[in-house]
């Protein structure tokens, strides 16, 4: 049973409610049809009954009748969501008039459903930009307690089983925060450790990466990683974490023993936290293309309830996988 099948099996025991705001889009509908057939999540589609009926006939869907269908323009809880939106954003100038318009936006409606406890997670982005997906999530759902930073992790699957956890590693941040402060970098490390536990199913061994290992180089950016490591240990004392480490010292046992003798992480890391987004994004793409690793993500971290963003070039399979991931994040 492969990694995604394991996630599906775990999700099927809890049947979390995952909302798909892009309920008229073909890939989302085909993915929903497959998920409902497999039965590992309950799907909430944001679309009208009329549009859905037409799309069912158009795409030959067989299982959509198992979905919960919410029409953004008219539904039983519309007024309650308007009131909730005003309450949440009143200090930011939200009025009933503005809220009445926004609750018809599927992305805002999806976030409101999660905030109200009517859905457990969301997957969107096949036809929306990342900023459009994240904005309502950050405004309404907000971040987890003790975390102020949203980040994006990738699960990396490598045929070389000697690296990471039997070939599986988690990379972050590769998608969201361009230049994290030491505090933000520490929060990213803690969030990525949680992702490794929940999705990877292994105990994280977190390396805070730099171009320096244990004082081999001196620079302000190295100092930031050292400070971030200290802060991460304070935020989550139970985590196994060390830094600053160069990439080879983090994942190659012989190099780790030479450059960082006595480190519990050096040479054994299965979670790599990059010093900024530029490095993280370049690194995961190079590993993906040159090493032939499979990259699954970005998996958004730090939001109080799971909201995940798709690439606009995503496939039906990508959406199915991301719903499985989101359902597992909701289980925790």
């Amino acid at each position: 049973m492969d990694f995604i099948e394991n996630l599906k099996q775990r999700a099927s025991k809890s049947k979390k409610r995952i909302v798909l705001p892009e309920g008229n889009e073909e890939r989302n509908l085909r993915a929903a049809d497959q998920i409902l057939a497999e039965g590992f999540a309950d799907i909430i589609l944001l679309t009208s009954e009329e549009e859905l009926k037409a799309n069912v006939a158009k795409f030959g869907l067989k299982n959509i009748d198992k979905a919960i269908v919410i029409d953004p323009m008219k539904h039983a809880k519309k007024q309650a969501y308007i009131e909730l939106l005003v309450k949440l954003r009143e200090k930011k100038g939200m009025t009933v008039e503005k809220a009445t318009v926004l609750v018809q936006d599927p992305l805002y409606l999806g976030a409101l459903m999660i905030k109200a406890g009517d859905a457990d997670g969301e997957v969107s982005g096949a036809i929306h930009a990342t900023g459009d997906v994240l904005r309502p999530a950050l405004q309404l759902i907000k971040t987890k307690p003790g975390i102020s930073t949203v980040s994006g992790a990738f699960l990396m699957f490598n045929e070389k089983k000697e690296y990471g956890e039997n070939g599986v590693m988690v990379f972050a941040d590769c998608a969201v925060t361009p230049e994290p402060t030491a505090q933000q970098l520490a929060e990213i490390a803690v969030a990525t450790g949680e992702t490794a536990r929940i999705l990877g199913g292994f105990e994280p061994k977190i390396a805070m990466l730099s171009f320096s290992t244990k004082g081999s180089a001196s620079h302000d950016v190295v100092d930031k990683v050292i400070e971030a490591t200290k802060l991460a240990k304070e935020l989550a004392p139970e985590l196994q974490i060390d830094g600053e480490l160069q990439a080879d010292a983090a994942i190659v046992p012989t190099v780790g023993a030479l450059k960082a003798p006595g480190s519990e992480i050096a040479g054994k890391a299965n979670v790599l936290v990059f010093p900024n987004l530029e490095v993280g994004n370049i690194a995961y793409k190079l590993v993906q293309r040159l090493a032939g690793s499979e990259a699954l993500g970005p998996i958004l971290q730090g939001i109080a309830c799971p909201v995940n963003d798709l690439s606009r070039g995503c496939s039906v399979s990508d959406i199915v996988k991301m719903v499985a991931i989101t359902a597992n994040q909701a289980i925790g």
Side-chain angles (χ1 to χ4, degrees), residues 129-266:
T130 297
D132 294 332
V133 174
L134 283 179
R135 191 174 303 109
L138 294 177
Q139 288 178 356
L140 306 177
I141 304 170
K142 303 187 182 297
T143 54
K144 292 183 177 180
I147 300 290
S148 62
T149 306
V150 175
S151 56
F154 278 83
L155 285 161
M156 306 296 295
F157 301 89
N158 198 303
E159 291 183 1
K160 295 184 177 181
K161 305 301 183 182
E162 66 268 28
Y163 295 122
E165 196 72 20
N166 198 32
V168 181
M169 304 188 81
V170 189
F171 286 12
D173 176 14
C174 305
V176 182
T177 304
E179 285 292 343
T181 64
Q183 178 66 36
Q184 290 175 316
L185 201 57
E187 292 178 7
I188 290 167
V190 172
T192 310
E194 182 179 14
T195 295
R197 281 179 176 151
I198 292 172
L199 300 181
F202 54 79
E203 190 61 26
K205 297 180 178 66
I206 304 170
M208 307 293 282
L209 297 187
S210 177
F211 63 83
S212 169
T213 297
K214 299 298 184 180
S216 66
S218 178
H219 195 278
D220 289 347
V221 296
V222 177
D223 293 340
K224 181 180 79 169
V225 176
I226 294 170
E227 177 65 13
T229 304
K230 173 177 172 289
L231 292 171
K233 290 178 177 180
E234 292 172 357
L235 282 171
E238 74 282 2
L239 283 178
Q240 298 181 65
I241 182 168
D242 200 10
E244 84 285 14
L245 295 170
Q246 291 164 291
D248 57 351
I251 65 172
V252 182
T254 54
V255 178
L258 179 66
K259 291 186 174 183
S263 170
E264 293 182 347
I265 301 302

